[in-house]
Amino acid sequence: MNIKTVGITAGMILASSVAFAQSSTVTGAAGGAAAGAVVGGPAGAAVGGIVGGVAGSVLEPPPQKVVTYVQQAPAPTKRVVVKEKVVVGEPLPETVVVTPIPEDPKYAYAIVNDQRVIVEPSSRKVIQIIQ
């Protein structure tokens, strides 16, 4: 199996890991390593473990008290609309105002395109979209 195939497979694993939002670094790394081993043997396991670990650590869901706070926060009087699609793992545009969560400052939120989103304040990356 060549390195290009392993790279493509690692990309596919990362995409699926992001879509399903691994709950932790450990489960992300274990799942990535297992999938990588099936596809690429020992080299695939190493690549898959790294890719899964990164995806798992980035997308750890916020605590329920943060989700509840964002669900109950009043909507702004002016509607915020952006052309870009709001996607978990991607940063919000700089034009969007991000509001820190008082009880847990490692999280912030915004209401964009009529969607409530929880973000990491320093990177502005979307952690969760509240439905």
Side-chain angles (χ1 to χ4, degrees):
M1 179 168 282
N2 65 28
I3 194 73
K4 186 175 180 180
T5 304
V6 172
I8 291 170
T9 303
M12 290 173 27
I13 292 169
L14 176 60
S16 66
S17 295
V18 170
F20 292 109
Q22 296 287 344
S23 62
S24 72
T25 303
V26 175
T27 58
V38 169
V39 174
V47 171
I50 292 168
V51 169
V54 169
S57 66
V58 170
L59 298 172
E60 190 161 329
Q64 185 57 44
K65 69 178 184 173
V66 170
V67 174
T68 302
Y69 182 89
V70 172
Q71 288 171 329
Q72 297 174 351
T77 54
K78 186 177 178 186
R79 188 169 178 244
V80 178
V81 178
V82 296
K83 291 180 183 178
E84 300 88 355
K85 183 177 179 183
V86 177
V87 178
V88 172
E90 294 295 321
L92 290 176
E94 291 294 325
T95 57
V96 176
V97 175
V98 173
T99 306
I101 296 177
E103 288 90 35
D104 203 336
K106 66 181 181 178
Y107 298 101
Y109 76 97
I111 301 174
V112 185
N113 298 346
D114 295 323
Q115 293 180 307
R116 291 174 185 260
V117 296
I118 300 172
V119 300
E120 178 189 49
S122 60
S123 68
R124 303 175 60 85
K125 282 187 181 178
V126 176
I127 298 171
Q128 184 174 354
I129 300 171
I130 307 295
Q131 301 298 331

